Amino acid sequence: MELEDQWWKGQLAADIYQALRCKELKLPSYKGQSPQLNLRRYFADLIAIICNRFCLCPAARHLAVYLLDLFMDRYDVTMQQLHIVSLSCLLLASKFEEREDRVPKLETLNSLGCMSSMNLVLTKQGLLHMELLLLETFSWNLYLPTAAHFIDYYLSVGVLDGDLHDGWPMASLEKTKLYMAKYADYFLEVSLQDHIFLCFAPSLVAAACVAASRLILHLSPSWPARLQRLTGYAWENLTPCAEKLLIAHDSDVKEANKQQCLQQQQSQALLHSSGQPAAASQFLQLPSMQFPQKALQAGPAAGHRSASYLQGPAGPQQSDTQASAACLDPKPGVPSRAYPVSMHYSYQAPCFDR
């Protein structure tokens, strides 16, 4: 489904949206019965990393993971085969969602560092065979809406002039829209990390991403009437999904604060050492100020998140927007608790310049 850029702003936006909503009613059922379900996050991370490497659109990334989920749910395959399956899902999704010149080439894929670390070499015949198997599995139908297909349509009215921040008019509508888009993108990537989100309709997940972003930014009303009309979801419909997204956000914030405190403690320990100059190797071993980005291993580690969104709400392009996104970072010391997802959300919100 190759849609024009920014279709949600065109005259056919409502028609396209209704077509997507109708199509999601016919999505294949997902039972979560794969024997390799514990490996899912690892392969979702692999797809996300390669998608970021080739700057593929979110729709291609989400479709690739969804194809992988459906295939794993139906077949029992080995670890080595799952590597080929996940990359074949990525290629099929990129061919379906991207322009032809943006589809990763076989030679480029084999030259990636992660491919050599996995001791994996793709062949043209092997990929063609797997792509045919995937297409036959899905009856040659890749028109499968994901949350990424809905998010931009919802964000088109995600923030408007009449919204308030902590009860006050917004200082900058454009700045708020930028933060809103970054948080929505972050929550959208969080939804890829756990197969539990497949229990919700893709349009509901996208709406919950917008709702969670408005809660984090302390925008009121939390779920305005315009969003309820546009999405077709009332606040009560979004609560279960939004709560899971916010709990994942809480976990990421705690991990970021933990890593930052560890870095500061090690820096202070080096400064207050016996007075001898520290070896260069000591400084090279200091953890980064950013979220940890571990190399892909043979299997997923507990609590592991892909490098594409380990950098928090600022999204995968944090290095380019670090200064502007600094005030978006939530306050440290957020307790571990279930989020009270209500119209009076009590979470400490990020700061805005007034």
Side-chain angles (χ1 to χ4, degrees):
M1 182 184 55
E2 185 175 352
L3 302 177
E4 293 181 2
D5 291 341
Q6 298 187 343
W7 62 267
W8 54 92
K9 296 182 180 180
Q11 296 179 351
L12 298 177
D15 294 330
I16 295 174
Y17 173 68
Q18 288 303 321
L20 289 170
R21 288 298 298 266
C22 290
K23 185 61 180 177
E24 79 171 347
L25 296 176
K26 303 176 183 179
L27 289 175
S29 61
Y30 177 78
K31 301 179 181 179
Q33 60 185 7
S34 171
Q36 291 84 18
L37 198 58
N38 63 315
L39 300 175
R40 178 194 179 276
R41 180 173 292 185
Y42 166 76
F43 287 103
D45 286 350
L46 176 63
I47 290 175
I49 290 172
I50 297 178
C51 283
N52 287 337
R53 167 63 176 79
F54 292 98
C55 300
L56 300 180
C57 65
R61 179 164 63 253
H62 281 251
L63 178 58
V65 175
Y66 186 48
L67 294 177
L68 177 64
D69 283 327
L70 294 178
F71 190 85
M72 290 178 62
D73 204 41
R74 301 181 186 188
Y75 293 95
D76 183 3
V77 293
T78 65
M79 180 75 170
Q80 184 72 9
Q81 289 174 323
L82 276 176
H83 281 96
I84 301 177
V85 170
S86 60
L87 293 172
S88 298
C89 289
L90 171 61
L91 288 175
L92 278 181
S94 60
K95 290 175 182 178
F96 193 67
E97 296 289 348
E98 288 283 6
R99 301 190 308 268
E100 183 177 358
D101 61 326
R102 297 180 64 90
V103 176
K105 300 297 187 292
L106 176 61
E107 297 78 10
T108 311
L109 282 174
N110 280 326
S111 65
L112 294 177
C114 62
M115 300 294 290
S116 58
S117 64
M118 295 183 294
N119 195 24
L120 180 64
V121 178
L122 301 175
T123 63
K124 184 177 181 180
Q125 184 178 4
L127 283 178
L128 286 176
H129 175 76
M130 186 55 66
E131 286 183 358
L132 284 174
L133 177 59
L134 287 167
L135 288 171
E136 291 175 357
T137 300
F138 305 122
S139 301
W140 293 77
N141 174 33
L142 299 184
Y143 181 20
L144 305 172
T146 68
H149 292 94
F150 294 96
I151 193 72
D152 288 317
Y153 185 66
Y154 295 162
L155 285 176
S156 64
V157 295
V159 181
L160 294 181
D161 277 322
D163 294 338
L164 302 177
H165 172 251
D166 278 335
W168 293 85
M170 293 176 292
S172 171
L173 177 62
E174 293 304 317
K175 184 178 180 181
T176 307
K177 286 183 176 180
L178 174 64
Y179 292 165
M180 181 72 176
K182 289 186 177 296
Y183 266 107
D185 180 67
Y186 164 76
F187 283 120
L188 194 64
E189 297 309 307
V190 167
S191 70
L192 278 183
Q193 287 297 285
D194 198 330
H195 68 94
I196 192 64
F197 289 100
L198 292 172
C199 299
F200 305 103
S203 58
L204 188 146
V205 174
C209 289
V210 176
S213 301
R214 289 183 63 88
L215 288 173
I216 291 293
L217 295 176
H218 267 200
L219 297 177
S220 59
S222 298
W223 192 243
R226 68 175 186 274
L227 278 169
Q228 181 170 337
R229 288 193 301 268
L230 185 70
T231 64
Y233 293 111
W235 181 260
E236 294 76 18
N237 304 131
L238 304 177
T239 299
C241 185
E243 192 171 47
K244 296 181 187 299
L245 293 171
L246 291 166
I247 291 174
H249 172 267
D250 186 18
S251 177
D252 280 351
V253 171
K254 290 178 62 178
E255 181 65 23
N257 293 334
K258 179 180 177 181
Q259 293 295 326
Q260 186 172 2
C261 290
L262 180 62
Q263 192 275 341
Q264 292 175 350
Q265 291 174 359
Q266 293 191 6
S267 297
Q268 292 176 358
L270 287 174
L271 290 174
H272 294 84
S273 60
S274 59
Q276 297 295 329
S281 59
Q282 291 179 281
F283 291 99
L284 291 175
Q285 295 174 3
L286 288 178
S288 170
M289 291 292 289
Q290 305 295 332
F291 280 57
Q293 301 189 17
K294 298 181 180 179
L296 285 173
Q297 300 173 356
H304 170 68
R305 289 196 183 278
S306 167
S308 62
Y309 38 82
L310 268 173
Q311 301 178 17
Q317 302 298 330
Q318 184 177 3
S319 59
D320 298 332
T321 57
Q322 189 172 5
S324 63
C327 66
L328 251 177
D329 294 337
K331 307 296 182 184
V334 180
S336 177
R337 64 181 186 280
Y339 280 87
V341 183
S342 65
M343 299 304 290
H344 303 286
Y345 187 64
S346 59
Y347 182 73
Q348 187 71 23
C351 62
F352 271 92
D353 296 330
R354 294 199 178 281

